[in-house]
Amino acid sequence: MDTAVLDLIRRSRRVLAICHVGPDGDAIGSLLGLGWALKAMGKEVTLACADPVPPFYRYLPGQGEIVRRPEGMFDLVISLDCSDKERLGDAYREEYHALPLLNIDHHVTNQYFGTANLVDPEAASTAEIVFLLLDELGLPIDPPMAQCLLTGIVTDTRGFRTASSTPRVLAIANRLMAAGASLPEIVSRTLERRPLAMIRLWGQALPGAQLRGKILWTEITEAMRAEAGLTTVDDGGLVNFLLTAEEAEVAVVFSEKNGGQEVEVSFRARPGWDVAQVALSLGGGGHMLASGATVRGGLAEVRERVLALLEESLAAQERARRET
Ligand code: 5GP
Ligand code: MN
């Protein structure tokens, strides 16, 4: 492992760790797992996320300490699960921009924006990279760390079902369970649970699903969300569900937000395709098989523009495959 990374951590005393806006299980899990570890190393730690912790991650030890806007001064900032600086949101305040920044991430679209970068696109989750870092630092894993890190792994692999679920992932999960993490509790809290309002929202969004070539897409309007009684912009995994359609190679969900001024776009693909590059070209990012972007504009206009770009990209990928 890069000695610059280890040195930054070893020398730091007051650390600010930040995960991405609109946090998922890997964002919160890697943030808390690293937070517990840094405290065990005797450091002063502040954990931050610009958006609130979603209710179903509130079983995680330490989540109540996560602040939305950090206060005070630090000697190191650590970015977790962010492919670019913008993903840090308002938690990365102006006065922290001059501090050393350690970028820990697993997105293939990572911009290497840190003073030091611990980026592994082969890793299934950022939590997995944090685990390897703690191993390298020789830090024993306690049950709270284990529970947080395994949550990141389980949610980003959707319960070890993704193509990223390698033998290394399972070996790390094994060690985290041996250190006290509960796999059944994590699965039940994260993968097997959603608000009834989310199921009602799916009920509204599913009839509108349309197949365009090998792309299955649907949209969620702000009116649907209000009707279902939801305030968050996530789709509760609807895009993953769409991709289970036999006819689909790629699934897309368009979610209207900010009073119709922006659209959150979520892409998923079956192995063999790449949706990371389309997301990157729209100002977002992600992985080959799971990516996203926030695009300015109205729902219908953004949808047509993005579907055209995606069709073009898939056609180019098909051509490239035929040529090799
Ligand atoms: P999801 O569809 O679950 O929101 O996101 C899928 C993947 O794409 C995640 O790894 C997430 O970090 C990334 N992603 C989603 N939205 C954005 C975005 O607006 N910007 C960037 N850089 N990545 C995003
Ligand atoms: Mn992640």
Side-chain angles (χ1 to χ4, degrees):
M1 198 169 278
D2 189 353
T3 51
V5 171
L6 300 172
D7 285 349
L8 269 183
I9 293 193
R10 287 198 184 108
R11 286 201 206 110
S12 66
R13 297 191 49 220
R14 304 196 62 197
V15 182
L16 169 62
I18 310 175
C19 71
H20 62 76
V21 294
D24 57 14
D26 190 29
I28 299 295
S30 58
L31 179 69
L32 288 170
L34 180 67
W36 282 106
L38 294 172
K39 278 186 200 167
M41 293 172 79
K43 300 181 192 297
E44 264 181 62
V45 185
T46 296
L47 304 178
C49 179
D51 289 318
V53 177
F56 38 88
Y57 298 125
R58 295 198 186 142
Y59 68 97
L60 285 173
Q63 62 81 25
E65 286 180 34
I66 300 175
V67 299
R68 294 180 65 179
R69 225 174 136 70
E71 305 273 339
M73 242 318 153
F74 306 93
D75 50 31
L76 175 64
V77 180
I78 303 180
S79 163
L80 290 153
D81 207 33
C82 297
S83 57
D84 57 53
K85 264 191 204 176
E86 285 62 50
R87 296 283 284 163
L88 294 163
D90 294 342
Y92 188 49
R93 297 170 58 167
E94 194 84 37
E95 52 263 56
Y96 305 145
H97 291 193
L99 298 171
L101 177 63
L102 172 57
N103 163 21
I104 306 181
D105 185 40
H106 70 127
H107 292 95
V108 69
T109 56
N110 192 282
Q111 302 295 304
Y112 291 80
F113 53 84
T115 317
N117 302 286
L118 183 54
V119 176
D120 179 4
E122 304 277 303
S125 64
T126 297
E128 184 183 335
I129 304 175
V130 169
F131 174 88
L132 295 170
L133 172 65
L134 302 185
D135 225 23
E136 189 81 19
L137 289 164
L139 203 78
I141 307 285
D142 67 15
M145 286 176 213
Q147 186 77 343
C148 297
L149 295 178
L150 190 58
T151 292
I153 293 174
V154 166
T155 54
D156 262 22
T157 62
R158 289 185 295 111
F160 309 106
R161 288 153 64 188
T162 55
S164 57
S165 305
T166 57
R168 181 176 88 174
V169 174
L170 291 172
I172 293 173
N174 187 338
R175 286 190 53 196
L176 292 171
M177 287 180 76
S182 166
L183 179 60
E185 187 190 14
I186 293 169
V187 169
S188 135
R189 294 273 195 177
T190 60
L191 305 178
E192 305 286 4
R193 194 173 299 242
R194 51 175 65 85
L196 175 58
M198 185 58 82
I199 294 172
R200 295 215 160 99
L201 182 68
W202 285 25
Q204 293 190 74
L206 282 170
Q210 292 187 42
L211 197 61
R212 192 188 285 204
K214 38 181 120 21
I215 307 166
L216 183 62
W217 65 271
T218 194
E219 53 193 18
I220 297 172
T221 63
E222 289 193 325
M224 287 179 190
R225 230 175 257 287
E227 163 107 25
L230 280 170
T231 49
T232 53
V233 288
D234 80 298
D235 70 4
L238 176 61
V239 68
N240 296 316
F241 181 62
L242 286 184
L243 193 61
T244 63
E246 201 133 39
E247 292 80 358
E249 289 288 318
V250 174
V252 192
V253 171
F254 299 95
S255 300
E256 188 180 37
K257 66 177 199 183
N258 284 339
Q261 290 175 40
E262 283 181 331
V263 181
E264 182 80 41
V265 189
S266 276
F267 300 98
R268 294 291 184 277
R270 291 192 189 272
W273 300 100
D274 176 2
V275 288
Q277 297 313 315
V278 166
L280 186 64
S281 74
L282 292 164
H287 314 285
M288 299 249 275
L289 307 183
S291 65
T294 304
V295 183
R296 283 201 72 78
L299 192 55
E301 178 248 313
V302 168
R303 180 230 300 151
E304 287 312 311
R305 185 150 53 90
V306 169
L307 286 176
L309 273 176
L310 182 59
E311 280 181 310
E312 210 173 286
S313 164
L314 297 179
Q317 291 176 38
E318 232 168 8
R319 277 197 303 277
R321 228 187 335 244
R322 254 185 272 120
E323 279 158 22
T324 52

